[in-house]
Amino acid sequence: MSSRRHLILGVLLWMLTAPAAALAQTHDVPLRLTSLFRSSAVPVQIHEIDGPRTLPAGEDAVFSARTNLDVATLPVTIRWDFGDGATGRSLFARHRFAEPGTYRVALRLSNAHGTATDSLTVVVTPPRTDGPAAPHVRR
C-alpha cells in the first residue's frame, strides 16, 4: 500500500477513534481530507450572489457569493466587475460607488473545467445626508 493511502487510512482511523475534544481542536483535518478526495474534473458554479439593490453614492457595498468551491477543481479564478471600472478578486468584495447611476455588478468564476457568471443590478442614488443603510437583497 502506498504511503499516501497509509496516511489517509491513519487519519480516518484517528478521526473515528479520537475523543471529541481532540477533533474539536484539529478542525482543519476534514478540510484537508476533502481536498484529497476532490473529483478531478468539477467545473465551478455560482449558486447565488448577494449585495445591495440600491445604495447611496459614497457608501460601502458588500457583495458575496455562494458557490461550489468546496468541490470544484482548483485553482479557481474569481473576478467581480462593479460596472464602473473597478474589480474585486475574492468571494466577499467591498466596493464604494462614487457616482449615482445604474451599475451591472458581475461575478465570473473560472477553472480548467468551465466558467460561471452571474450578475445583479445596483442603483446608486445621490449621497444620503442621514438615516439607516439600504437593505441587502438575495438573488
Side-chain angles (χ1 to χ4, degrees):
M1 200 178 269
S2 75
S3 62
R4 183 173 176 173
R5 283 190 188 144
H6 279 112
L7 172 65
I8 292 169
L9 290 174
V11 170
L12 289 174
L13 180 60
W14 177 83
M15 289 178 66
L16 292 173
T17 60
L23 287 173
Q25 293 173 356
T26 56
H27 56 83
D28 60 329
V29 171
L31 294 175
R32 289 181 185 156
L33 289 175
T34 300
S35 65
L36 289 175
F37 294 113
R38 284 185 189 211
S39 173
S40 61
V42 179
V44 291
Q45 296 175 349
I46 300 171
H47 301 298
E48 175 181 64
I49 59 174
D50 183 33
R53 295 298 188 134
T54 61
L55 181 77
E59 290 196 14
D60 283 345
V62 176
F63 298 92
S64 62
R66 278 192 330 102
T67 69
N68 72 332
L69 291 186
D70 57 333
V71 295
T73 302
L74 299 176
V76 173
T77 301
I78 302 167
R79 180 180 168 95
W80 288 93
D81 180 344
F82 298 110
D84 62 355
T87 61
R89 298 242 178 234
S90 71
L91 286 181
F92 298 93
R94 182 177 301 272
H95 182 64
R96 184 177 294 172
F97 295 94
E99 299 294 326
T102 301
Y103 298 90
R104 180 178 170 266
V105 175
L107 174 62
R108 176 186 167 103
L109 303 179
S110 59
N111 68 5
H113 304 289
T115 299
T117 59
D118 199 356
S119 65
L120 59 84
T121 301
V122 178
V123 176
V124 178
T125 59
R128 178 173 72 194
T129 58
D130 63 338
H136 279 52
V137 177
R138 288 184 180 228
R139 272 183 24 74

